[in-house]
Amino acid sequence: LPPLPALPQPQPLRLSVGLPYAACTRLLMLWDLSARLGPALRLRLRSLPLAALANAVRCAGALDYSLAAELHCAMLKAVAQDYEGLDEWGAWVRAVQSPRLPLTWPALTAQLIDVSDDFSVYCERRDEVSAALAKGEYSDLTPCQRVEVLAWLADRALQSERLRDHLDRRAEFAAAKRRDRAALVEQEDKAAAALHSARFRLQELLGKMIGSASSRGRPRAAAAK
């Protein structure tokens, strides 16, 4: 065999947002989450280019801020469902469900940060981030801090009942497809076996008919002589 042609060199992924390696890794995970679970989060975007997500983190313009707001609102709505029915969370849940959420999401995110010990795992400057968001000053955060806030919210959303139900339904759908495929393969195998058996019987019947015709022809030939 002739040698295989050389493979093209992969092009490195470049994100001009000035983020350290860990933040870029989280950004890629957020992009994958948005692409895979966008319908479950009820994102209006059918697809989210990586460059658009990077721009949302950089938040250089109004459209970038609008996308950042939509992502945070989607995560907050998913998280809020787990707190429905709890009296102490009633006001916060109602605020998340309010049509004013696109305006109030920074302050609501700050309230959630203040009562969540796990945020310190994502961001070292917890008080600074919470204070900026409480004032509605999302632009005061660095791009790295914005990634940390969004990554933390995404992990909280992944643990929410809405996404768990979505993942369970996807798993059930995949299992049903596998069962249907297995049943179809079994039916095809049975049909192939039945066809093989029918062909064998047909060949056997044809052989008997030819043999019977030959045996009837021999006495006639002998009588003619």
Side-chain angles (χ1 to χ4, degrees):
L1 294 176
L4 294 175
L7 294 175
Q9 292 295 324
Q11 296 297 321
L13 181 64
R14 302 184 185 278
L15 295 176
S16 57
V17 290
L19 296 176
Y21 177 80
C24 285
T25 301
R26 284 176 173 169
L27 191 67
L28 289 171
M29 294 175 64
L30 287 168
W31 176 58
D32 183 67
L33 170 67
S34 301
R36 293 176 180 272
L37 299 178
L41 292 169
R42 298 175 186 174
L43 289 171
R44 291 178 301 172
L45 303 168
R46 290 186 178 272
S47 62
L48 179 63
L50 180 57
L53 181 58
N55 289 335
V57 168
R58 187 165 49 189
C59 207
L63 290 177
D64 301 331
Y65 180 83
S66 177
L67 175 57
E70 181 174 353
L71 291 170
H72 285 82
C73 290
M75 304 295 180
L76 286 172
K77 288 178 180 178
V79 173
Q81 283 193 337
D82 287 350
Y83 295 99
E84 292 179 355
L86 300 178
D87 293 338
E88 61 272 22
W89 285 87
W92 186 84
V93 171
R94 287 191 297 272
V96 171
Q97 296 171 344
S98 169
R100 299 182 68 248
L101 179 61
L103 301 175
T104 60
W105 68 265
L108 295 173
T109 302
Q111 292 175 11
L112 188 61
I113 289 175
D114 290 340
V115 298
S116 302
D117 295 334
D118 61 339
F119 183 75
S120 299
V121 177
Y122 296 79
C123 182
E124 295 180 354
R125 299 185 176 182
R126 170 178 177 161
D127 294 339
E128 177 182 325
V129 170
S130 177
L133 291 174
K135 294 185 297 182
E137 299 296 339
Y138 182 68
S139 58
D140 286 351
L141 302 182
T142 65
C144 189
Q145 289 172 336
R146 293 171 194 152
V147 172
E148 291 166 348
V149 171
L150 195 53
W152 169 72
L153 268 181
D155 283 349
R156 293 292 297 263
L158 279 173
Q159 301 172 34
S160 67
E161 183 178 355
R162 177 189 294 182
L163 288 193
R164 288 198 302 269
D165 289 344
H166 176 77
L167 293 174
D168 288 344
R169 288 194 298 269
R170 288 186 59 176
E172 292 172 359
F173 178 77
K177 294 290 287 185
R178 287 195 296 269
R179 289 193 297 269
D180 292 343
R181 175 60 180 170
L184 181 60
V185 170
E186 183 179 0
Q187 291 176 2
E188 290 176 348
D189 290 342
K190 289 181 178 178
L195 180 61
H196 177 75
S197 178
R199 287 175 175 173
F200 178 80
R201 290 196 299 270
L202 179 60
Q203 292 293 334
E204 188 179 41
L205 180 60
L206 289 174
K208 290 180 178 179
M209 292 175 63
I210 293 172
S212 177
S214 299
S215 63
R216 288 198 299 269
R218 283 195 293 269
R220 294 177 182 176
K225 291 180 180 179

